[in-house]
Amino acid sequence: QVQLVESGGGSVQAGGSLQLSCAANGATYITYCMGWFRQAPGKEREGVATLYRPSGSTWVADSVKGRFTISQSNANNQLYLYLDMNSLKPEDTAVYYCAATKSRSCATTEFRYWGQGTQVTVSS
């Protein structure tokens, strides 16, 4: 099992920045792909960015490309996933979830482990 805990959400004005963090614990050695998803009120959950851990290759949704960056660190045997969000827009307002999968495919449908989510609110 893999446990994921997000932090770093909050409220910012449009144009501002936030960094989300996700601490991963448990059988993290089986997590080939990790990612960030979001769900806005009344909308379906959507993939924001994914990272293939062995190579570090990433995918970022068109809606956030050039503004959001996904990255990982593994200092002191603690695995973290980050999402750096810049030039935030009101339409970025959502609950953001960290996720992981044992699959070597980073397709958004493959993710099976989920955090509890963290709220990001961007005001105009």
Side-chain angles (χ1 to χ4, degrees):
Q1 282 285 9
V2 177
Q3 297 83 42
L4 305 171
V5 179
E6 304 98 334
S7 60
S11 298
V12 295
Q13 290 192 328
S17 299
L18 282 174
Q19 183 187 61
L20 304 183
S21 299
C22 172
N25 293 289
T28 57
Y29 59 90
I30 62 173
T31 56
Y32 288 103
C33 289
M34 296 186 72
W36 290 97
F37 293 73
R38 68 184 181 186
Q39 187 166 21
K43 295 188 177 182
E44 291 190 357
R45 187 169 58 195
E46 63 175 352
V48 175
T50 62
L51 184 147
Y52 182 62
R53 291 190 54 227
S55 66
S57 64
T58 63
W59 167 85
V60 180
D62 287 343
S63 58
V64 303
K65 195 167 292 183
R67 300 188 297 121
F68 290 12
T69 304
I70 186 172
S71 60
Q72 63 175 333
S73 72
N74 201 358
N76 300 319
N77 289 322
Q78 174 63 61
L79 176 61
Y80 282 98
L81 187 72
Y82 301 102
L83 186 67
D84 288 291
M85 305 185 295
N86 298 304
S87 302
L88 283 160
K89 303 176 181 180
E91 50 263 44
D92 295 319
T93 295
V95 177
Y96 283 71
Y97 297 90
C98 175
T101 176
K102 296 185 290 184
S103 172
R104 291 184 181 268
S105 167
C106 285
T108 55
T109 54
E110 295 289 335
F111 288 79
R112 295 292 179 263
Y113 303 101
W114 297 89
Q116 81 287 354
T118 185
Q119 176 71 45
V120 172
T121 303
V122 184
S123 58
S124 58

